[in-house]
Amino acid sequence: PKFRVLTNEITKLENRLKTSGSRLRSFAQNLSSLQGIAASAFAGVAVKQAFGAASELESANARVQVLTKNFKQLNGIQKVAAQSAEKFILSETAVLSNYIDLGNRLGEQGASLSDLQNIYEGLNTVLVKNRTSTQEAASATLQLNQALGSGKLQGEEFRAINEAAPQVISEIARVLGIARGEVKDFAKEGLVTSKVIIQALTNIKERGAEDLQAGFVGAFGATRKFEKALNE
């Protein structure tokens, strides 16, 4: 009797193992199917992103043609934007779009490519040192461009720059030869002009060049490299 009981238990165990094996095979098959679906979905997203990036680049290049037709001094803007994109580990298309925005705002004021580069790289030198997030950086860039376009730094534009890139305000104070706390009052009176802002950003760009690479150490730099690779 004990032998029969043992035999029965062994049979039951064999059946359980067979059932488990069948379930494992089914699970493996389902997993393989899910991997295939995920791979297809990822490929679809990648293709969509690629078309989107291509469309954005095409649009930017079309805008360049209009810009340089209106402002001959900005010929070669793509090359300068590409240099800045490499320097700050950013998407070439995104950087070019920022340059175009600057060019449209400052072209009539006679701004040169060198002026645009000093503005863009001066601000981004500070943003990198401050490990500013992409969203905050975009906001600060927009507010700065608006201030330069209007010819002076005031109101919301002053607040945005002061929060994201306070070093710019400090440098403006040095250019004007005043205390930092006085810059806000000068701004209200319209005395923080485009000329003053450009000079301040040029100073920051030139002085901060040596320390810039230190800003890309660690997760901040790794994230930028990853995002740039995805975009390009």
Side-chain angles (χ1 to χ4, degrees):
K2 290 183 181 180
F3 180 77
R4 282 197 299 274
V5 171
L6 180 59
T7 301
N8 290 335
E9 291 299 323
I10 291 174
T11 301
K12 290 178 182 178
L13 180 59
E14 288 177 343
N15 291 332
R16 287 174 185 168
L17 288 172
K18 287 178 182 178
T19 301
S20 297
S22 177
R23 288 175 179 171
L24 283 172
R25 283 193 297 274
S26 177
F27 174 77
Q29 290 171 352
N30 289 335
L31 180 60
S32 178
S33 297
L34 285 172
Q35 288 174 332
I37 292 170
S40 297
F42 180 79
V45 170
V47 169
K48 182 178 180 181
Q49 183 174 350
F51 275 108
S55 177
E56 288 176 6
L57 180 58
E58 183 179 356
S59 175
N61 285 326
R63 290 165 61 203
V64 166
Q65 298 303 316
V66 176
L67 177 70
T68 53
K69 183 178 179 180
N70 293 330
F71 310 113
K72 304 294 184 185
Q73 77 271 25
L74 300 181
N75 277 315
I77 193 171
Q78 290 112 317
K79 182 178 179 180
V80 175
Q83 292 171 351
S84 294
E86 183 70 21
K87 183 175 181 179
F88 292 96
I89 317 179
L90 293 167
S91 159
E92 287 189 21
T93 302
V95 175
L96 179 58
S97 293
N98 283 325
Y99 266 85
I100 293 169
D101 185 39
L102 271 175
N104 282 322
R105 293 176 189 274
L106 298 177
E108 291 184 355
Q109 299 179 29
S112 66
L113 271 178
S114 179
D115 290 328
L116 300 191
Q117 188 171 32
N118 287 336
I119 292 166
Y120 184 85
E121 295 194 359
L123 176 62
N124 277 273
T125 294
V126 173
L127 295 178
V128 168
K129 287 184 177 181
N130 294 348
R131 302 294 201 279
T132 307
S133 70
T134 303
Q135 185 176 359
E136 289 174 329
S139 175
T141 299
L142 176 61
Q143 296 296 339
L144 176 67
N145 290 0
Q146 290 177 345
L148 290 167
S150 66
K152 52 193 174 183
L153 181 66
Q154 289 182 311
E156 181 60 34
E157 294 146 2
F158 177 88
R159 285 191 291 274
I161 299 300
N162 193 34
E163 290 174 6
Q167 297 94 322
V168 174
I169 304 301
S170 297
E171 189 57 36
I172 286 173
R174 277 190 280 269
V175 171
L176 290 172
I178 60 176
R180 190 186 190 285
E182 296 180 273
V183 176
K184 187 174 183 180
D185 291 332
F186 269 60
K188 287 180 180 178
E189 296 174 16
L191 299 177
V192 183
T193 63
S194 295
K195 184 178 179 180
V196 171
I197 298 170
I198 293 173
Q199 184 58 61
L201 292 169
T202 300
N203 295 346
I204 291 172
K205 175 198 167 188
E206 293 175 351
R207 286 204 303 264
E210 295 181 1
D211 302 327
L212 184 60
Q213 290 307 311
F216 294 118
V217 174
F220 181 80
T223 300
R224 283 224 174 180
K225 290 175 183 177
F226 179 69
E227 290 177 346
K228 180 176 174 67
L230 282 179
N231 287 326
E232 296 185 355

